[in-house]
Amino acid sequence: MSNPNDEIIRLEGICKNFPGVQALKNVDFCLRKGEIHALVGENGAGKSTLIKVMTGVERFDEGKITYDGKEIVIRSPQHAQNIGISTVYQEVNLCSNISVAENLLLGREPRKLGCIDWKAMNKRAKAIMQDLDVDIDVTQPLGSFSTAIQQIAAIARALEISSPKVLILDEPTSSLDAHESNLIFKVMRKLCSAGVGIIFITHFIKQVYEISDRITVLRNGKLVATHETASLPTIQLISEMIGHSLAEYDEMKKSEFVVNHKKALLEAKELGRKGMVEPFDLELHAGEVVGLAGLLGSGRTEVVKVLFGIDEPDNGCLIVDDQLIKKHSPFEMIMHGVALCPEDRKASGIVGDLTIRENIILAIQARLGWFKFLSKQKQYEIANKYIKMLNIATPSSDQLVKNLSGGNQQKVILARWLATDPKMLLLDEPTRGIDVGTKAEIQKLVINLATEGMGCVFISSELEEVMRTSHRVVVMREHEKVTEFAGEVSEREIMQAMAGGE
Amino acid sequence: MKNNISPFTKFRQSRIFWPLVALLLIFIFDGIYAPGFFKLGILDGHLYGNLIDVINNGAPLVLVAIGMTMVIATGGVDLSVGAVIAISAAMGAVLINPAFGNELISNDILTQNVSRTPLGLIVLANLAAGTACGLWNGFLVSRAKIQPMVATLILMVAGRGIAQLITNGQIMTIYYTPYFFFGNGYILGLPVAVYIVLAVLGLAWLLVRKTSIGLFVESVGINAESTYYSGISEKNVKLLAYTFCGFCSAIAGLILSSYVHSADANNIGLNYELDGILSVVIGGTLMAGGRFSLLASVIGALVIRTFTITMYTVGIPANALLAAKAVLVLIVILLYSEQAHKIINAVFERKGRSKDAKN
Ligand SMILES: Nc1ncnc2c1ncn2[C@@H]1O[C@H](COP(=O)(O)OP(=O)(O)OP(=O)(O)O)[C@@H](O)[C@H]1O
Ligand SMILES: [Mg+2]
């Protein structure tokens, strides 16, 4: 356990206003040497903003920061880095098409006679990664490794640039499965035993307990409390985060579903695309939730992309509502009542510089075409309805989407698709980066939509979640559909199918 | 945080604020160094003076700026507007004068005040030629997936050649007086070109604000992938933008050739692509695409025009004009940088706060 006087950084009375939003109200926070400090709270609670204040990305309005015993002003991210505060943001900011070694040492390549000494560079990079107990071929492009390795490479680069005293990780595990998260944890433990203070943001309560020494809870921009992890019961933590207890979490029950073999809403026969996904059969009935399970990179995303016409299939056929799909495109699929909530919300989900309202009506408007433009009044009506329904934290529907917190952006995309009133909903990691309370709400929403007759495909890296919501679980492995489970099935069975072999 | 933003703050944050400030600065400069600049007079029942010149002379540039705004908003750029102007002008001139084929044309045929083709048809041919050029650009960008700069560079280079082919390589002077109406005519004391600009601006405004096209254009410019995922045909949106830009340039070509009474394939509409892009940039639309304001671009075009005329008025020689323009560009770019905005906003906010404190 660390000594309470070993404070590296202390923030006192921090206030931060954005137009229309007070993101931080009088927040205190302190980080000790060698501890892992979890920062938790609902979407929009102000976690990322607190981080940005600490790293000089945003100026705070009031308050003071003490670093290493002296009061300082952090002027810019560059400055923060120089004094030993390193950050890994949620979106990995490295280049996936160049090698791991280049990514790690970009700008500081070892040189010999003015030229880059590749041999020394690769050796150095290998050593850096081995320091973190990861043994990989550093000459391979970063993109060829799993997200976990990429995430670790991002951490390694942060460590390389400066030898930090404070390391900040903003939702590093949100898109990782349990095994991969463990890789990150190993790295974290190793660093903190070397005296680095780590701030860890996550929405996974389990991980908070697994790794952190202390927990700070924020709610609506205010500090709720800081606790020693060991002495804080889960129930209390959750109720501190969301302001009430999470009773509905357990009440949730999926509706009984009886397959009506006569009428499939969507039927894929031998559908596939070379290099993306091997031909597969899939049926989706009204009122049914089909879970897609599989490891990262097993081809789950590719399945829904081919179904939605993002990537045209080159094999097999797709029948929606008794009609054979001839032209595969998102527009065509929307016209057939299909909706896809994509996995990568930043790249293929939100349109950052448009307002929440415009983002929500985008897909409806696509269906209506160029000349049936929804009136402003109608747009506000739709937007406000979904802002209320999904509890999107924002002062108004005229806020730019890029100013929303990560989880709230995710909700806006969900709203966009719910607004089209689809008959089939394909959800690719819809709960990524979403807080516990809302996660339960979204799961409930999916179950309710199915009860009302919608067919849903549900992808998630959390097996628990897939099992809770789905009537049927399809397992993918290495871009191939390997099996399908209906009815009662144990987590073990699915895991085995996912891993294959043994 | 208060929600009742003062009207001034609202205006300051609107997109036309900075272009208007730029225009104002130039006017102030004129007020000091060229006092005659603002003089308006009435001659033959028409208003005349430098200000009228700005809008009459500036009409083609305003039109180009309107079209260019749409293209830039999708994240592209159209370098061919100058060439399209030349093609449109050539089309008009050649339909008036019989320069087709190899028939021997004597001087007195050429200088007659008659037209081979009805005026309505000429206008249509002008517009059709320009629109076809725009369609071509749009096709290259949206279907052939060529980068906008490269795709439109093709027509920028080839366009003037095409215009020369149309006019058989001659500089064609136009003697047909009804054709001069677009560039030199007046209605109710104001130049005809002003009405044309207003009509096109109205049409563009209807397109972008009363249909979903404006939303789609911005969406494509901000994040094309998300837009595609939402079921919007990013290709058709781009095709439309380039076609519209071609259409606007064609009208600009019509006015310009009418104004100078000739179609010179090599020189008409020279540098309009640069001035057009600059107008849009002054209007605050990012070259990366996204949010745009037609009105701001129009003001941007007027800024450039006023600047040019001011430079002439104070006696800067034509060959130094480019250098002066470069200075303007530099100032604009500096003013629009994030850093400058932060400083300026901070100044305003501090003022606002001290005002609040006093109240
Ligand atoms: N640039 C900005 N302009 C306006 N509001 C902003 C801006 N950045 C953040 N906010 C607002 O500040 C609040 C806190 O946001 P923040 O990103 O810190 O939340 P968070 O706790 O990280 O949430 P999440 O778990 O969803 O990532 C939100 O209501 C958000 O809308
Ligand atoms: Mg966040």
Side-chain angles (χ1 to χ4, degrees), chain A residues 47-48 90 170-171 405-406:
Chain A
K47 304 179 296 290
S48 298
Q90 188 177 355
D170 194 351
E171 301 197 30
S405 74

Side-chain angles (χ1 to χ4, degrees), chain B residues 125-183:
Chain B
N126 272 357
L127 299 189
T131 311
C133 290
L135 208 58
W136 162 258
N137 282 332
F139 182 81
L140 287 186
V141 172
S142 71
R143 310 290 141 138
K145 302 267 177 217
I146 302 179
Q147 282 182 10
M149 203 174 276
V150 179
T152 57
L153 193 64
I154 296 174
L155 195 60
M156 178 187 179
V157 176
R160 292 195 184 272
I162 295 173
Q164 280 190 348
L165 282 181
I166 295 175
T167 61
N168 241 341
Q170 312 168 15
I171 298 175
M172 302 196 78
T173 310
I174 300 167
Y175 296 92
Y176 179 55
T177 41
Y179 190 78
F180 302 159
F181 178 68
F182 308 109

Side-chain angles (χ1 to χ4, degrees), chain B residues 13-30:
Chain B
Q13 284 166 351
S14 83
R15 305 190 137 259
I16 57 172
F17 178 74
W18 288 107
L20 277 179
V21 167
L23 197 58
L24 194 72
L25 287 180
I26 299 177
F27 279 156
I28 291 172
F29 178 87
D30 286 331

Side-chain angles (χ1 to χ4, degrees), chain A residues 51-291:
Chain A
I51 296 308
K52 286 179 187 159
V53 162
M54 239 182 278
T55 52
V57 177
E58 300 275 6
R59 288 284 163 88
F60 49 87
D61 303 327
E62 275 164 56
K64 88 178 196 199
I65 299 184
T66 321
Y67 181 74
D68 239 357
K70 290 184 288 285
E71 185 176 341
I72 59 158
V73 179
I74 297 169
R75 291 185 301 270
S76 66
Q78 194 66 47
H79 180 211
Q81 218 157 58
N82 290 344
I83 60 176
I85 304 176
S86 273
T87 317
V88 178
Y89 296 97
Q90 188 177 355
E91 287 89 17
V92 178
N93 287 332
L94 301 180
C95 311
S96 52
N97 51 353
I98 61 177
S99 77
V100 176
E102 286 168 280
N103 266 302
L104 287 181
L105 295 166
L106 205 68
R108 280 162 301 103
E109 303 92 347
R111 281 169 192 278
K112 203 153 88 188
L113 303 173
C115 299
I116 296 177
D117 183 353
W118 291 98
K119 234 177 173 170
M121 175 153 141
N122 290 336
K123 214 168 131 199
R124 173 109 192 75
K126 186 143 187 112
I128 295 170
M129 289 305 274
Q130 264 167 355
D131 260 357
L132 300 178
D133 291 331
V134 177
D135 200 0
I136 54 169
D137 180 0
V138 292
T139 57
Q140 292 297 310
L142 183 71
S144 65
F145 293 102
S146 69
T147 320
I149 299 293
Q150 296 188 27
Q151 200 63 257
I152 292 176
I155 296 175
R157 177 164 171 89
L159 297 174
E160 245 313 283
I161 290 177
S162 56
S163 46
K165 296 186 188 129
V166 178
L167 178 66
I168 301 171
L169 304 171
D170 194 351
E171 301 197 30
T173 55
S174 70
S175 53
L176 304 184
D177 59 30
H179 170 71
E180 292 179 308
S181 299
N182 277 331
L183 285 180
I184 306 265
F185 291 164
K186 243 168 62 191
V187 171
M188 285 165 67
R189 289 205 184 93
K190 185 157 184 156
L191 288 171
C192 76
S193 60
V196 180
I198 298 180
I199 301 174
F200 174 54
I201 300 184
T202 185
H203 285 296
F204 297 112
I205 304 295
K206 232 164 93 189
Q207 297 186 351
V208 170
Y209 278 99
E210 189 177 337
I211 188 128
S212 72
D213 300 314
R214 288 198 303 160
I215 307 175
T216 291
V217 184
L218 295 181
R219 187 168 76 231
N220 291 332
K222 279 186 277 214
L223 174 73
V224 180
T226 300
H227 301 277
E228 298 286 338
T229 307
S231 62
L232 181 69
T234 317
I235 308 225
Q236 192 191 341
L237 173 63
I238 291 180
S239 65
E240 279 189 1
M241 282 168 65
I242 63 181
H244 55 87
S245 66
L246 194 67
E248 60 263 50
Y249 205 64
D250 308 310
E251 281 170 19
M252 203 165 27
K253 260 236 162 68
K254 58 189 164 200
S255 57
E256 278 308 307
F257 172 74
V258 192
V259 182
N260 174 357
H261 275 292
K262 280 203 185 90
K263 193 175 165 275
L265 276 178
L266 179 146
E267 200 180 347
K269 285 184 193 145
E270 287 291 303
L271 200 68
R273 182 183 160 96
K274 271 211 187 61
M276 289 194 67
V277 56
E278 297 295 315
F280 62 91
D281 291 333
L282 185 74
E283 266 181 36
L284 181 63
H285 296 260
E288 183 186 33
V289 181
V290 173

